[in-house]
Each structure stands twice: as C-alpha cells, then as structure tokens.
Amino acid sequence: MTLETPVATVEYLPPPGWECDPRPPVQRGDGCLYKHLLRLGKKTVGLVAVSTSRTLGTALENDAFLALVAVEGGITGLEKRQSAFCSGGMDGCRWEMDFFLDGTPFVAELFALRGDGRAKGPEILVSCWGAAEDPRNAEWIARSISCVRRVNPARKRAVALMIAGFLAALCGLLLTAITYDMAASGDAPEYVGFVGLVVVGTIVFLQGIWRLLSGRPGKSE
C-alpha cells in the first residue's frame, strides 16, 4: 500500500486480509494528518498516517492521542506503556495500551516514527486496536514501512535552473561554432559570437547550483 502526501510517500504492508481506506486529510494542531484507515471486513482495525505537525512531542503525551485511534464509544481504564522503537531506518516511540470500550476490554498499539531520526521530518503514525484476544498488528506494519521523502520544491527549482542554464550556454556555444565554421569555409562573411547567450546561461546555471546547495526558494516560491 502507498500513502501519498505532499511531504513524503510512505509504503507499507498491511497484514493479510486487511484493506486500506484512504481518507481526506484533516487539520491537526499546526499541521495536517494524511491517513489510511485499515479495515478487516466491515471493522476498522487500524490506521496509517503521515503527520506534518509535532504529534510526537505534543498530542501523544496525553490522552488526546486516542483521536488517532478511530474507536468509537466510551473509553475507560486507559493504561499505556511507552518504549523506544527502531527498525529499518525508522525510529521513534511505541505505545501499548489497555482500555475498556463500553465495558469490553480492548488493546491497542501505536507507533510514532521518523525516517532516519530526522527531527524536522514528517511523522509516520501506525496504530491498530481490537478486542483483548486480538493480535496486535501495528508492529507488523511499522517494520514494513519504507518512507520516500519528497524533493524540496526549492531544490526542484534549482535543478530546473541548472538544466535551463546549461542548455542556454550549450546553444550559445554551438551557434557560435556553426557560424565560425561557415565563415571559415567562405559561406558567410564573418562569424557571430553568441556571447550573451553563453554568459546568461552560465549565470543561470550558477544560480541553480547556489539554490541547490542552499535550498533557498526564489521570491515567487
């Protein structure tokens, strides 16, 4: 399964028989939550999401994290245990939870992960829940995750500038060489040097290199 977001593309493997249900992004805190609900038949049993807000440091420190667990009903007797987690280039925190849902014992597991420990990167959230005797499948999913970060738009613009500058300078040199060859063979009275095109192309190419190294967007971005 693939979860596409503006900040990262997340690939994951749900347990056998589970299907994903893509949901519209929702505003949460100072960012958005892009999510797939995971279903087993008609039951919603889990969630995979990418959060652009600081969920790991805020919402998961209190019971508000239950908003990420799409269970419905009266939750009582919540107990949770936190531990560190690291697997396949992803690291972060793991929560194991025991609670009663309308008097029925339930268990849940939730992971808040970042790729390569990047503190400023998007967070990947995985949670699964079910009756007390149900297996916890969040770790299965968490260990299957691979995260492909999106290219910074400023860097995309930098690469485009480098390509445009290189092509402009190359065209200037080729046109100069062609007219020089024509003048040398007597087909033209003199050759034309496309110096301006070469200079402009070189400047644009260098601007692209500068933006690529600095990651700075232009004024219009």
Side-chain angles (χ1 to χ4, degrees):
M1 300 293 181
T2 302
L3 174 56
E4 294 273 359
T5 81
V7 293
T9 298
V10 175
E11 295 182 354
Y12 65 93
L13 181 65
W18 289 29
E19 297 180 352
C20 79
D21 178 13
R23 310 299 295 173
V26 295
Q27 190 73 30
R28 182 168 297 284
D30 57 352
C32 280
L33 190 70
Y34 301 83
K35 61 183 178 178
H36 285 176
L37 292 182
L38 300 174
R39 302 191 187 279
L40 181 60
K42 295 183 178 181
K43 292 195 303 182
T44 301
V45 290
L47 171 148
V48 175
V50 173
S51 174
T52 58
S53 63
R54 297 181 58 193
T55 308
L56 183 62
T58 54
L60 295 183
E61 291 178 356
N62 53 59
D63 293 350
F65 77 84
L66 285 174
L68 299 175
V69 181
V71 293
E72 297 180 358
I75 295 176
T76 57
L78 174 66
E79 296 182 3
K80 55 183 178 179
R81 299 170 296 282
Q82 179 180 348
S83 59
F85 180 82
C86 181
S87 176
M90 308 294 297
D91 61 17
C93 292
R94 169 189 182 184
W95 282 264
E96 296 177 275
M97 294 156 276
D98 300 291
F99 57 94
F100 289 89
L101 180 65
D102 292 334
T104 302
F106 264 62
V107 295
E109 191 175 36
L110 191 148
F111 292 82
L113 308 171
R114 291 192 181 98
D116 301 323
R118 294 171 178 163
K120 295 184 179 180
E123 292 177 4
I124 301 172
L125 307 170
V126 180
S127 59
C128 297
W129 56 88
E133 65 273 11
D134 292 343
R136 300 181 183 183
N137 289 290
E139 184 171 353
W140 166 303
I141 299 170
R143 292 190 181 279
S144 75
I145 286 176
S146 62
C147 177
V148 182
R149 291 177 59 84
R150 293 260 185 205
V151 177
N152 185 320
R155 293 181 178 269
K156 283 187 177 180
R157 174 64 174 161
V159 173
L161 285 175
M162 290 173 62
I163 293 173
F166 174 78
L167 291 177
L170 182 62
C171 286
L173 291 173
L174 288 175
L175 290 172
T176 300
I178 291 171
T179 58
Y180 180 84
D181 184 67
M182 292 175 64
S185 63
D187 294 333
E190 58 184 15
Y191 79 93
V192 179
F194 290 82
V195 178
L197 192 57
V198 174
V199 171
V200 170
T202 302
I203 292 173
V204 171
F205 180 80
L206 293 175
Q207 285 180 334
I209 290 179
W210 168 247
R211 289 195 189 180
L212 186 64
L213 295 177
S214 64
R216 295 177 181 176
K219 292 182 180 179
S220 62
E221 295 171 3

